[in-house]
Amino acid sequence: MELGWIDFSKSERDQVFNILDLLGEDGLLDELGIAPIRDGFSELLFPGTSTIQTRAKYFLIIPYILKTLELNNETNDPSKLNDDLERMEIKCAKCLLGKHPGENGIIGRNAILNNGWVQRPPSNIYLAGLRKYGIFNFRYSILKYFNVICSRNKDNQTTLKYGNSSDKNEFEHDDFNAGVENFSYLNIPIYTNKWHEDLEINLNQEEGEFLKKQIIKNCEDSMLAYILKEDMYDFIYYGNLDELDDNLIDKFPPYIQKNYRDAISFSEFVNVLIIRYNLIVSNYENKDAIAAFEDVKDNLKDISDINFSDIMAKFKINSDKLRIFLDKSKELMFEGKMDDLDKLITNREIFLKGRNRARSYNPGKYGNDKWFGGDKLNYRFYEVKVILGDIFKSQGVTVDAESK
């Protein structure tokens, strides 16, 4: 049976896709419901990023488009501005493809080549990051932002009370309408009305400096901001997040070192659960899972040395069932009771998905060579390396593709 929803509007569709993003980061299908902790570490280390971001330039392209629409708006129809946004995103994509036909990370490449457009446009993919970095300071949807722009255009303060009855809770904040007629929600001091001429996917020096400054200013306690602040170019040459050597880690402040090591410890713990899950699903015949467990079985006591209460408190996760599952998994892993751990994993999946959809309840049904649940958690590491590389290149740093 296929699941879906009635596509009432682009705005509602974008909200659904934002929720789906949380279920798909790092390639992990989240069979065991560990997404809240995974996402907490991802945002702690690399705030404002996501696994579907491709290049840093989009952190500038989207506000450029929004500013252009704001300055040139002559309509009282927010829906038209929303359509204009899509039209300009497509135009930018075609321009970038023409300028960089072989370049990676241009959103919409395949769709445009097939005379279509993407379901997840850059304006949706980068919106949370734009807010996080203080570039787009509007807390609601872009469509609501266009409502404000149209209200300004009509110069009628009473029209700021727009929206239907279903929107009332969204606008109960006292500061929503404060100073709307004079306040700009966009922070892009480098904007010019010729930004679209000869558009490049690479950041120029001024853009790179601006984006770097915004990340450092708004995410100062993160690993991402510290890498930029200290120009830690070596970071982008590591193949995986857990491969950072002590010489590099020691350069970070103690609290970032702890956040990093906690994230890696959680990744290693989850990796054991995923290995066991694949053993169960394959009826203990998956050769990759067998080999992977051989690699970790002698370290189970060390891997299980992790404080889930502290981690869940850090991210304000109030799920007793998740905490009980993790604590019991930790206990069984420490004691080496793999049969009991497998039963716990199976029961967890049944609880989350029901027996009909729980693969672990139907061992052998899916073959013995498929891998479910993804690899070790990398917390958006690969996407972050590309964004950092773009910023470093804008500063004149030579960046190649070789890893350590």
Side-chain angles (χ1 to χ4, degrees):
M1 178 181 69
E2 293 186 358
L3 299 178
W5 67 92
I6 299 174
D7 192 6
F8 288 108
S9 72
K10 178 177 180 293
S11 177
E12 290 168 335
R13 183 185 69 209
D14 289 347
Q15 291 177 20
V16 172
F17 278 125
N18 285 337
I19 294 172
L20 293 178
D21 276 351
L22 299 180
L23 302 178
E25 285 196 10
D26 285 326
L28 185 68
L29 299 179
D30 198 30
E31 308 294 349
L32 303 178
I34 51 82
I37 300 177
R38 175 202 62 202
D39 298 337
F41 276 122
S42 296
E43 195 63 18
L44 185 67
L45 297 172
F46 307 121
T49 62
S50 83
T51 58
I52 53 175
Q53 291 173 357
T54 57
R55 299 296 294 269
K57 182 73 171 198
Y58 287 104
F59 284 112
L60 282 301
I61 291 176
I62 301 310
Y64 288 162
I65 293 175
L66 294 177
K67 189 67 174 180
T68 299
L69 292 173
E70 179 180 340
L71 292 176
N72 298 307
N73 176 45
E74 296 180 353
T75 181
N76 295 328
D77 183 359
S79 296
K80 183 181 183 305
L81 286 180
N82 216 31
D83 292 340
D84 289 343
L85 168 61
E86 183 171 282
R87 176 182 56 80
M88 291 187 70
E89 287 186 275
I90 294 173
K91 184 177 180 180
C92 287
K94 290 179 177 179
C95 179
L96 291 173
L97 285 173
K99 182 76 174 179
H100 310 282
E103 188 80 22
N104 292 326
I106 297 176
I107 297 174
R109 177 192 302 275
N110 293 335
I112 287 174
L113 292 176
N114 290 285
N115 298 316
W117 185 231
V118 293
Q119 290 185 310
R120 301 298 306 278
S123 57
N124 179 269
I125 293 171
Y126 284 80
L127 183 59
L130 289 169
R131 291 188 179 120
K132 191 72 177 182
Y133 302 155
I135 299 173
F136 182 61
N137 298 302
F138 189 79
R139 71 180 69 179
Y140 310 108
S141 68
I142 288 180
L143 184 59
K144 301 302 182 187
Y145 168 71
F146 288 147
N147 270 278
V148 173
I149 300 305
C150 290
S151 296
R152 289 176 180 175
N153 194 50
K154 289 184 289 188
D155 194 27
N156 184 348
Q157 201 68 13
T158 60
T159 60
L160 291 174
K161 298 178 181 180
Y162 55 83
N164 55 38
S165 59
S166 65
D167 293 328
K168 288 182 179 178
N169 290 335
E170 187 176 6
F171 298 103
E172 284 178 352
H173 304 277
D174 292 337
D175 62 345
F176 175 73
N177 292 331
V180 158
E181 68 277 9
N182 296 314
F183 182 74
S184 175
Y185 294 101
L186 287 164
N187 174 24
I188 44 170
I190 58 178
Y191 175 85
T192 72
N193 58 11
K194 296 182 179 180
W195 66 268
H196 56 281
E197 296 181 5
D198 202 25
L199 183 63
E200 294 267 359
I201 192 62
N202 297 309
L203 298 167
N204 62 40
Q205 182 178 358
E206 191 176 12
E207 290 170 334
E209 286 295 334
F210 168 73
L211 184 55
K212 176 181 178 179
K213 180 193 72 174
Q214 290 301 117
I215 294 174
I216 293 172
K217 176 182 177 182
N218 292 280
C219 309
E220 60 181 348
D221 293 333
S222 69
M223 175 175 272
L224 176 63
Y226 199 82
I227 291 167
L228 289 169
K229 181 181 177 182
E230 299 299 320
D231 294 324
M232 299 171 70
Y233 307 127
D234 283 355
F235 181 86
I236 65 175
Y237 296 120
Y238 288 85
N240 292 288
L241 188 62
D242 62 1
E243 294 175 2
L244 305 187
D245 58 43
D246 290 340
N247 289 332
L248 181 64
I249 296 301
D250 289 345
K251 294 178 182 179
F252 290 95
Y255 67 91
I256 294 181
Q257 293 184 36
K258 185 178 187 309
N259 291 339
Y260 168 79
R261 292 193 169 106
D262 285 348
I264 297 304
S265 294
F266 181 69
S267 175
E268 291 176 347
F269 184 90
V270 171
N271 183 52
V272 175
L273 299 183
I274 296 300
I275 291 170
R276 296 307 305 181
Y277 177 82
N278 279 277
L279 285 170
I280 299 166
V281 171
S282 68
N283 208 16
Y284 301 91
E285 294 180 358
N286 187 306
K287 293 180 180 179
D288 291 334
I290 293 170
F293 187 70
E294 283 295 316
D295 290 340
V296 301
K297 69 177 184 179
D298 293 335
N299 300 316
L300 293 179
K301 288 188 177 181
D302 290 337
I303 292 172
S304 63
D305 184 16
I306 183 170
N307 190 320
F308 289 113
S309 294
D310 286 354
I311 290 174
M312 293 181 70
K314 181 198 293 280
F315 300 128
K316 297 180 174 60
I317 299 171
N318 299 313
S319 173
D320 288 338
K321 286 182 169 49
L322 175 58
R323 179 183 52 77
I324 291 170
F325 167 70
L326 292 173
D327 283 342
K328 187 62 177 177
S329 297
K330 167 184 173 178
E331 175 187 329
L332 296 173
M333 197 180 298
F334 181 84
E335 295 174 353
K337 297 180 178 179
M338 293 300 100
D339 289 343
D340 290 338
L341 179 60
D342 292 351
K343 291 176 184 177
L344 183 69
I345 291 170
T346 300
N347 289 335
R348 173 69 175 170
E349 188 184 20
I350 291 172
F351 168 75
L352 290 171
K353 299 164 61 176
R355 290 185 176 181
N356 290 336
R357 295 180 57 235
R359 297 189 188 96
S360 57
Y361 186 71
N362 300 283
K365 179 180 178 180
Y366 303 92
N368 59 13
D369 58 351
K370 292 183 180 179
W371 186 271
F372 299 100
D375 300 320
K376 284 187 178 181
L377 302 180
N378 256 307
Y379 307 106
R380 311 171 187 169
F381 176 70
Y382 304 123
E383 293 75 24
V384 167
K385 289 203 301 178
V386 174
I387 290 170
L388 286 171
D390 283 346
I391 296 174
F392 290 152
K393 282 189 287 187
S394 74
Q395 299 176 312
V397 177
T398 299
V399 176
D400 59 45
E402 294 297 322
S403 297
K404 281 183 177 289

